[in-house]
């Protein structure tokens, strides 16, 4: 059976069988946890990453150390893989274009192209009638000044491309901050967003299969520090109706993109006199840090759901077995591993990174407890 997604991508033939090889571009902790999940299903992983010290190499059957634009290495990689996926969204278009005629690449080109560019994300959301922070496209310092005056009040300037963990962003209180903010992002093409006075940040991690089947994990509440995710909690502080709206937003986005695999939608929850309202902040066409709690709290984690979906299997149940809190271990917090390893009920994950750096995600710990405890 060949299934063609809405974006026209040929998503290939029958479901892969155990023993198949999954190719993963990117060798960080997400690639590592994807490879571990694939191993559980009897599949082997081939990791492709330019960094010879990639954490994912330690748990994979095969590795390629090469640049993402090395056509020869990509061709050899494709020949070894039954399907290829990504652990990050900033995969160069050339990489996808080289791989996709040779091997099914899931998700396809469109989810990557849209999620690489905040302007494309905004246009997609507008087209779907899904709310996000008011915004302006910014290409010059004059445009920035006009944008701040136009949106009024505090704003956030974000580079269109290559921003993560709060990088590539500058906050402005008024037009007087425009010079500094423009310099901070080095004059890169950007969008300007009105600052959203949210009461909580939440995310939906969901999976969509080759046949269009869809399932979402319960809405997660996320707390950031200095732009980096610190803690994710489930259940989130959101009403049942609000959670249903959040999941519906994620489903519509996944369908519009013809997405196959796991994706995450980060949202702002506004909760004021007029009730709850959700605005989409950002899309990630991949497994996501706010879904790490699913490893212990669900029969099939987000990593397994992604592997199953890209392998052409139906997406698994996303039900959970309890409430959970996931805390990232950032920088030298990972040095506390002995105390965490000794804590009953704490599930410790260390990513095997060779060097500790401030702000670097070194591991995480998940604590699962009975519902409502
Ligand atoms: P991002 O990289 O876009 O996910 O932004 C990182 C973090 O900055 C978010 O998780 C929010 O905590 C904060 N942030 C980003 N954009 C806005 C906004 N428009 N209003 C308020 N906070 C924001």
């Amino acid at each position: 059976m060949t299934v063609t997604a809405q974006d026209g991508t040929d998503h290939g033939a029958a479901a892969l069988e155990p023993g198949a090889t999954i190719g993963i571009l990117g060798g960080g902790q997400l690639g590592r946890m994807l490879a571990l999940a694939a191993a559980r299903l009897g599949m082997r992983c081939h990791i492709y990453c330019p960094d010879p010290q990639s954490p994912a190499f330690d748990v994979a059957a095969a590795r390629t150390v090469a640049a993402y634009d090395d056509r020869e290495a990509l061709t050899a990689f494709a020949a070894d893989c039954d399907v290829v996926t990504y652990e990050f969204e900033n995969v160069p278009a050339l990489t996808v274009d080289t791989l996709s005629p040779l091997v099914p690449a899931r998700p396809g080109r469109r989810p990557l192209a849209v999620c690489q560019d905040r302007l494309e994300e905004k246009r997609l959301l507008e087209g779907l009638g899904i709310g996000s922070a008011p915004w302006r496209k910014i290409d010059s310092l004059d445009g920035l000044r006009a944008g701040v005056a136009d949106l009024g009040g505090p704003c956030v300037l974000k580079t269109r491309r290559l921003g993560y963990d709060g990088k590539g962003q500058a906050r402005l209180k008024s037009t007087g901050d425009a010079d500094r903010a423009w310099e901070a992002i080095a004059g890169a093409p950007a969008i300007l967003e009105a600052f959203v006075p949210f009461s909580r940040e939440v995310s939906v991690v969901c999976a969509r299969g080759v046949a269009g089947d869809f399932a979402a994990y319960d809405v997660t509440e996320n707390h950031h520090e200095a732009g980096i995710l610190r803690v994710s909690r489930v259940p989130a502080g959101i009403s049942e109706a609000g959670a249903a709206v959040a999941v519906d937003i994620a489903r519509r986005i996944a369908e519009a993109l013809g997405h196959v695999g796991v994706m995450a939608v980060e949202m702002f929850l506004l909760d004021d006199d007029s009730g709850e309202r959700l605005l989409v902040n950002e899309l990630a066409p991949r497994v996501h840090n706010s879904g790490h709690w699913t490893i212990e709290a669900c029969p099939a984690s987000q990593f397994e759901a992604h592997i199953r979906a890209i392998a052409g299997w139906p997406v698994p149940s996303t039900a959970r077995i309890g409430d959970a809190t996931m805390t990232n271990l950032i920088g030298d917090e990972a040095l506390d591993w002995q105390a965490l390893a000794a804590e009953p009920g704490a599930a410790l994950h260390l990513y095997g990174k060779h060097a500790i750096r401030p702000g670097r995600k070194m591991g995480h710990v998940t604590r699962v407890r009975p519902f409502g405890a």
Side-chain angles (χ1 to χ4, degrees):
M1 181 184 66
T2 297
V3 178
T4 302
Q6 285 174 356
D7 61 352
T9 309
D10 178 5
H11 283 295
L16 299 181
E17 297 192 1
T21 299
I22 313 263
I24 301 174
L25 276 118
Q29 65 267 21
L30 299 180
R32 181 178 170 107
M33 290 185 271
L34 282 167
L36 291 168
R40 199 172 109 161
L41 299 175
M43 310 225 190
R44 59 192 290 282
C45 281
H46 185 152
I47 308 286
Y48 188 114
C49 191
D51 178 359
Q53 295 200 318
S54 296
F57 286 160
D58 295 343
V59 301
R63 71 174 72 172
T64 296
V65 181
Y68 290 121
D69 60 359
D70 182 335
R71 283 179 200 269
E72 211 178 304
L74 288 167
T75 304
F77 173 66
D80 184 48
C81 297
D82 297 295
V83 65
V84 166
T85 190
Y86 324 91
E87 62 135 34
F88 67 114
E89 55 272 41
N90 292 313
V91 179
L94 178 141
T95 313
V96 188
D97 291 344
T98 306
L99 290 171
S100 40
L102 305 172
V103 62
R106 296 172 178 151
R109 206 173 188 292
R110 185 158 149 75
L112 291 173
V114 171
C115 300
Q116 280 175 4
D117 185 343
R118 290 185 192 271
L119 180 64
E120 291 302 319
E121 280 185 3
K122 288 288 195 187
R123 286 181 173 151
L124 174 86
L125 296 171
E126 280 190 354
L128 292 171
I130 293 171
S132 72
W135 64 281
R136 296 288 181 275
K137 177 174 180 283
I138 303 296
D139 294 309
S140 68
L141 179 55
D142 280 347
L144 174 58
R145 290 199 188 101
V148 180
D150 206 14
L151 291 175
C155 295
V156 189
L157 182 66
K158 302 179 175 183
T159 56
R160 282 173 54 180
R161 292 177 175 275
L162 299 172
Y164 70 99
D165 285 350
K167 294 188 173 66
Q169 294 192 10
R171 296 190 178 193
L172 302 90
K173 288 207 181 88
S174 66
T175 45
D177 294 330
D179 289 73
R180 180 195 47 78
W182 189 240
E183 205 174 299
I185 66 156
I191 60 160
L192 181 70
E193 274 186 0
F195 193 82
V196 175
F198 59 81
S199 51
R200 291 169 203 276
E201 289 188 79
V202 297
S203 57
V204 175
V205 175
C206 60
R208 187 167 178 274
V210 167
D213 47 329
F214 175 89
Y217 293 97
D218 280 344
V219 177
T220 304
E221 181 172 327
N222 303 313
H223 296 265
H224 294 83
E225 270 170 31
I228 303 176
L229 181 66
R230 174 101 210 120
V231 174
S232 286
R233 245 183 226 121
V234 63
I238 187 171
S239 68
E240 230 174 89
V245 171
V247 169
D248 189 58
I249 288 172
R251 185 185 51 73
R252 285 161 57 208
I253 293 170
E255 277 173 11
L257 290 173
H259 189 79
V260 172
V262 164
M263 72 174 285
V265 183
E266 294 184 61
M267 305 179 199
F268 298 127
L269 175 66
L270 291 100
D271 199 353
D272 51 28
D273 296 343
S274 49
E276 282 180 339
R277 205 154 54 93
L278 286 160
L279 298 177
V280 169
N281 173 30
E282 196 170 35
L283 314 178
R286 54 168 167 79
V287 288
H288 193 256
N289 197 167
S290 68
H292 289 1
W293 59 268
T294 61
I295 298 176
E296 283 80 23
C298 300
S301 72
Q302 63 161 346
F303 300 100
E304 183 170 335
H306 185 73
I307 297 294
R308 288 190 191 214
I310 62 163
W313 297 16
V315 300
S317 160
T318 47
R320 64 188 163 90
I321 57 165
D323 294 345
T325 303
M326 187 282 322
T327 306
N328 273 335
L329 300 174
I330 297 167
D332 44 8
E333 287 167 356
L335 298 173
D336 293 339
W337 63 270
Q338 279 175 316
L340 292 164
E343 183 188 321
L348 176 63
H349 296 252
L350 296 169
Y351 302 149
K353 293 187 180 175
H354 290 255
I356 293 181
R357 283 198 294 272
R360 194 175 197 201
K361 292 173 182 169
M362 303 300 298
H364 72 266
V365 58
T366 299
R367 298 172 175 95
V368 181
R369 56 194 182 281
F371 288 112

